[in-house]
Amino acid sequence: MSPARYDLLAALFAHPGPSFDEDVTRALACHSEPYPDAGRALQAFAHLLPMGNLIALQELYTRTFDIQAITSLDIGYTLFGEDYKRGALLANLSGEHTRAGNDCGAELADHLTNVLRLLPKLTDVTLRDDLVRVLVAPALREMIREFEPERLAKKE
């Protein structure tokens, strides 16, 4: 997958800014034809959002991922909680971000947006594949599970 595709997906998991509606549209256009399943999922995602209302989008993001979050977008926290393993992961990912020239901004090194932007910049294909297989995919499965109706009901 091209670096541009990763950046488009990463933008969907960053705190919504003024270009969020455009980001969704670009992600849909870029992924729908080569990845029809992803395109359908992105279309369903877009229909659930209060598009055109930045304040409502930001409030939804904050409720979902920040304050009393349904889930965290921090991969290490999702997989390890506050365990020392997360600290080791953060240290190692920080090094990889620095070597790749990937600016993490205000988020931690294990934030999904930062990891998605890091993946295409990694020159070590084995490391990239391991990151996806061992960290990203399991964390995403766990994040998605948090949105299952039974789990949401327990959090209410």
Side-chain angles (χ1 to χ4, degrees), residues 1-17:
M1 190 157 54
S2 75
R5 292 185 198 279
Y6 284 98
D7 284 340
L8 287 170
L9 291 174
L12 302 182
F13 294 98
H15 192 271

Side-chain angles (χ1 to χ4, degrees), residues 9-28:
L9 291 174
L12 302 182
F13 294 98
H15 192 271
S19 67
F20 188 81
D21 290 0
E22 294 169 22
D23 294 338
V24 172
T25 301
R26 283 194 305 265
L28 273 163

Side-chain angles (χ1 to χ4, degrees), residues 76-90:
Y77 184 81
T78 299
L79 294 175
F80 307 120
E82 294 295 336
D83 192 83
Y84 73 93
K85 292 177 187 176
R86 182 179 185 215
L89 174 65
L90 285 169

Side-chain angles (χ1 to χ4, degrees), residues 120-136:
K121 294 177 180 178
L122 291 172
T123 56
D124 183 338
V125 175
T126 303
L127 174 60
R128 184 185 62 225
D129 292 347
D130 286 349
L131 273 174
V132 170
R133 184 178 45 79
V134 175
L135 296 172
V136 177

Side-chain angles (χ1 to χ4, degrees), residues 30-135:
C30 184
H31 291 90
S32 292
E33 188 176 319
Y35 306 101
D37 290 342
R40 284 188 290 279
L42 285 168
Q43 188 67 47
F45 170 73
H47 284 300
L48 294 171
L49 298 174
M51 301 298 279
N53 185 339
L54 182 57
I55 292 173
L57 280 167
Q58 290 172 336
E59 288 175 356
L60 177 61
Y61 181 93
T62 300
R63 280 193 323 267
T64 305
F65 301 117
D66 291 337
I67 301 172
Q68 294 182 347
I70 293 170
T71 191
S72 170
L73 290 174
D74 295 324
I75 290 171
Y77 184 81
T78 299
L79 294 175
F80 307 120
E82 294 295 336
D83 192 83
Y84 73 93
K85 292 177 187 176
R86 182 179 185 215
L89 174 65
L90 285 169
N92 288 321
L93 279 175
S94 291
E96 293 301 329
H97 286 294
T98 299
R99 280 187 283 288
N102 195 47
D103 181 10
C104 289
E107 298 294 348
L108 293 173
D110 67 340
H111 193 274
L112 180 60
T113 57
N114 289 327
V115 175
L116 286 173
R117 289 183 176 121
L118 172 65
L119 290 173
K121 294 177 180 178
L122 291 172
T123 56
D124 183 338
V125 175
T126 303
L127 174 60
R128 184 185 62 225
D129 292 347
D130 286 349
L131 273 174
V132 170
R133 184 178 45 79
V134 175
L135 296 172

